[in-house]
Amino acid sequence: MKKIVSIVAALAMATAMFADPVANVAVVEFTGNAKVTWGVNLDDNKTGFKNETDTSMKLQLFEHGTKATESNANVWGEIVVTSENYSNPAGSMINGIAKDQGVKNITPRVDKALLHIGPAWVGILSGDTQVGDMTPVVAVKGSNPWQDLTDVNGRNMKIYNVGKNATQGITIGFQADNIVKVEADIRSNLDPDGNKYTDVYATAIQADLLAVPNLTFSVGVAHNLTIGKKSTENSLNDDAFFAKAAYELAINDTFYVKPQAAMSLETPAWGGIAKDSKKINATAAVLFGWNKNEIQSWSGVKYLNQWDGSIADDRIKTSNGASVALHVVSQSATDDNNYAHGVTYGDLMIGAFDAGTLVPGLTFGANLEITDFIYGRKWEDKDGKDVIEEIAKAFDVSRDEYVRKGHYAKKTLTAEAKYSIAVGEGNVAPKAGFVMKDKFVKTNDKGLEEYKFDFKKCFFGVELSGFVPYTTFEVMYDNADLDTTKGTLDVSCKISL
């Protein structure tokens, strides 16, 4: 009979009370509104009404509580269990359809579980063995901000985590006062059935400099430890490196400058080619900011920080200021015939935003995005001869023209503003915005694309509030495609609690 011997190191940590969650039933939200809109489609002159309602009530069931262990010993176990303030959606309705009914599960979480050994510690919670993740702080994140810079269809300035990921294991950490902090993860993965005996290991080490105020500086490396089971999939890398730096320099009490940079290096297979494969992601940005803040959204927003002006993403933030950012990706590999392949592409983003701090009542934002601001290709034979140059000559175009086919540097300019003006007891808020884009015109006789920079869509209108208690009136013209439609004109009345 075969026996499986498992040596298990188990750390049992008891909890001592800090503060239990406290029952405190209260109504924390009770809102509702009703809106009627009449509009005309200027393309076919058809008209119509639309009624909308939105109600919501939330109950607070209990307040935040924490249990944690404490000790003055050199070696001791620390655990922190937390429950947040919990508000249950007691009921809500949108256009007469019930939403969020019933009591949800209430689950506390373990925030920390550490074995302290002097200035070092061993963490025993699940985690990861990746390094990276940096999004620069800029004035405006862009019109399609959450897309990864992995293809020409959607870009942003973020550097994502890199390295082979394993989740089950430990973190060994050490901090020397406020000078430096170092953490190393050693982890394995479970198999699909939850079995931990997989022999699949990975590690990651990250160091953070703490000694300089207002300076962020981190470096990290990740490595696949599993001998004989090296990765070949695009999503799993055997080796990875990451570094980031940012410094905030105050000019005075109002203005500051924040340069930022980050880069990652990983070794994924590319297009089925794994030999000498590497991928570099790099981003750099400078924010000239004022009246420091980061807000999730701003009243009147329609285009900026949204996908095509229709789906909001509240994870995206804006900052008062003006910024410029550049993100570049470079990937290369060698095929089985020893031909060298490579591609480099990058985007430029210039933006400005202010939430009424420069001119009271005026909120504005503008952003210029240039996709494929940088674009280059490499294709060399085993003797170092440029294959692309020879192909371009055959098509009677320059090398750059041939490489740029399908990768023209396309511009998108987005701008919008809202100005709130107090008039007696009420408020008048005109607002407007537009989007300009490079529009495809034709393919010339050399097979090259030609574009024209022109208006794509626009909106303008006015809100009237405060003149009638609890009531807002709005007149809005909106055109989502100036090339094909005349747009719509809507007049609405909204009554809110």
Side-chain angles (χ1 to χ4, degrees), residues 114 155 177 218 221 225 319 351 475 492:
L114 303 176
R155 314 288 182 84
D177 296 325
S218 300
V221 293
L225 292 174
S319 298
V475 179
S492 67

Side-chain angles (χ1 to χ4, degrees), residues 15-23 62-68 81-83 85:
T15 61
M17 181 176 294
F18 257 25
D20 277 321
V22 178
F62 59 83
E63 295 178 350
H64 169 85
T66 298
K67 281 188 173 182
V81 181
T82 301
S83 64
N85 291 350

